[in-house]
Amino acid sequence: MASISKFIAIIPAAGVGKRMQANCPKQYLCINNQTILTHTVTKLLTHPLISQVVIVLGANDEYFAQSPLAHHPDIIRVTGGTERVNSVLNGLKAVNAEQYPWVLVHDAARPCVSHQDIDNLIAQCLANNHGGILATPVRDTMKRGVFVKDAKSNVSKSINLIDNTVEREQLWHALTPQLYKTNELRFAIEQALANGVAITDEASAIEQANLPSLLVSASSENIKITHPNDLALAEFYLAKQAEQLNKSTAPK
Ligand SMILES: Nc1ccn([C@@H]2O[C@H](COP(=O)(O)OP(=O)(O)OP(=O)(O)O)[C@@H](O)[C@H]2O)c(=O)n1
Ligand SMILES: C[C@](O)(CO)[C@H](O)COP(=O)(O)O
């Protein structure tokens, strides 16, 4: 199999961050005086195997043009779509599959990803010649809930009860990056969309196409900043990573 020297990464950054309840899309909130998007893009562009990034922006995004990244030579900008999957597909349409036969897709909202985990994902996918995702095993007992009418209350109120315990052996949190062969991923997403299948990550489109995906165990620090209390945790992890990097690059 031909050796792959460089990768392109698609960064879906066209969301509005409803769950963050902020006054701007969450990817433009700041941690240590840098936007979350800048943290994430910088993390990817400083990885030795990633040579270009496709940033997928909202149609009405007025923030990126003010960013220090706005004129970066290795950044391609495309416009996103209504759902994350539409944004990812728009990003894929900007990728030359002959130049980049493999593509990483990584959420803008995940700035804490480590280079080590990206290395592991790339190594395992190339060794097996098929795609895969970073993932972290579930640690808690998992319950499925069900809403039922509250028998006691005379107001039609429903309460949430445990329906069952979900077997957690081999239950994983899907993270990103997710790494796939460019043409396979584009075909799988187009097919899933044509079939009206709900797609929330690249792996779910690949599963619909009956193609395999590796689960590459990764750090649980690679959180997706979603709710307000995720910001402090992300700031802690980024500070820890910066300290580790300073120690590793400090003169001996
Ligand atoms: N139409 C969309 C929706 C989401 N995303 C991106 O996909 C990533 C993961 O999505 P999520 O965490 O759900 O972000 P939002 O959709 O912005 O959050 P919310 O669901 O709270 O609105 C984010 O980087 C987001 O910017 C995107 O590019 N296009
Ligand atoms: C892609 C993802 O981050 C994997 O966990 C997740 O599916 C994104 O989901 P969201 O609803 O768009 O946040």
Side-chain angles (χ1 to χ4, degrees), residues 97-110:
E98 285 187 12
Q99 184 183 4
Y100 295 108
W102 292 77
V103 63
L104 291 148
V105 182
H106 183 59
D107 293 331
R110 291 184 188 270

Side-chain angles (χ1 to χ4, degrees), residues 1-247:
M1 184 188 67
S3 73
I4 306 291
S5 60
K6 288 290 184 184
F7 293 82
I8 193 165
I10 294 172
I11 300 183
V16 295
K18 293 184 293 292
R19 290 170 284 181
M20 183 55 76
Q21 301 166 348
N23 56 11
C24 68
K26 64 185 179 183
Q27 55 271 32
Y28 293 109
L29 294 173
C30 281
I31 295 177
N32 301 335
N33 298 318
Q34 266 197 349
T35 67
I36 290 168
L37 178 59
T38 299
H39 279 289
T40 303
V41 173
T42 304
K43 186 68 70 68
L44 295 192
L45 281 178
T46 54
H47 188 285
L49 292 179
I50 297 174
S51 55
Q52 283 191 295
V53 161
V54 177
I55 301 184
V56 190
L57 298 170
N60 304 315
D61 184 303
E62 296 172 351
Y63 301 90
F64 189 76
Q66 322 305 324
S67 153
L69 296 172
H71 304 293
H72 194 293
D74 296 324
I75 292 177
I76 302 162
R77 279 189 245 181
V78 300
T79 300
T82 49
E83 301 296 330
R84 182 184 178 281
V85 62
N86 307 107
S87 296
V88 171
L89 183 56
N90 288 355
L92 281 165
K93 290 175 179 175
V95 174
N96 176 335
E98 285 187 12
Q99 184 183 4
Y100 295 108
W102 292 77
V103 63
L104 291 148
V105 182
H106 183 59
D107 293 331
R110 291 184 188 270
C112 303
V113 65
S114 73
H115 281 186
Q116 181 61 62
D117 282 346
I118 295 172
D119 290 340
N120 292 343
L121 178 65
I122 290 172
Q124 292 195 35
C125 288
L126 293 190
N128 290 278
N129 194 31
H130 62 68
I133 71 170
L134 291 183
T136 187
V138 160
R139 287 176 284 195
D140 306 302
T141 295
M142 303 301 287
K143 306 291 185 184
R144 184 169 299 285
V146 60
F147 281 104
V148 295
K149 280 238 177 296
D150 182 359
K152 291 188 299 300
S153 78
N154 52 10
V155 178
S156 60
K157 188 165 76 85
S158 61
I159 52 175
N160 200 357
L161 295 178
I162 292 174
D163 184 44
N164 62 61
T165 297
V166 178
E167 170 57 48
R168 72 175 171 185
E169 181 68 30
Q170 276 286 41
L171 200 54
W172 297 73
H173 294 279
L175 310 176
T176 68
Q178 304 196 1
L179 173 62
Y180 289 100
K181 292 178 181 177
T182 306
N183 284 333
E184 279 186 3
L185 180 58
R186 179 169 172 175
F187 176 79
I189 289 178
E190 287 173 339
Q191 282 297 100
L193 288 173
N195 296 335
V197 177
I199 298 296
T200 57
D201 72 341
E202 289 61 65
S204 40
I206 292 289
E207 293 153 42
Q208 288 295 316
N210 296 315
L211 293 170
S213 282
L214 284 168
L215 276 167
V216 177
S217 187
S219 169
S220 59
E221 293 185 6
N222 180 9
I223 63 169
K224 182 166 68 73
I225 298 174
T226 305
H227 300 106
N229 58 5
D230 295 328
L231 284 169
L233 192 54
E235 183 173 2
F236 172 77
Y237 288 147
L238 288 172
K240 190 175 113 179
Q241 289 175 4
E243 187 183 346
Q244 286 166 342
L245 184 63
N246 289 339
K247 278 182 185 167

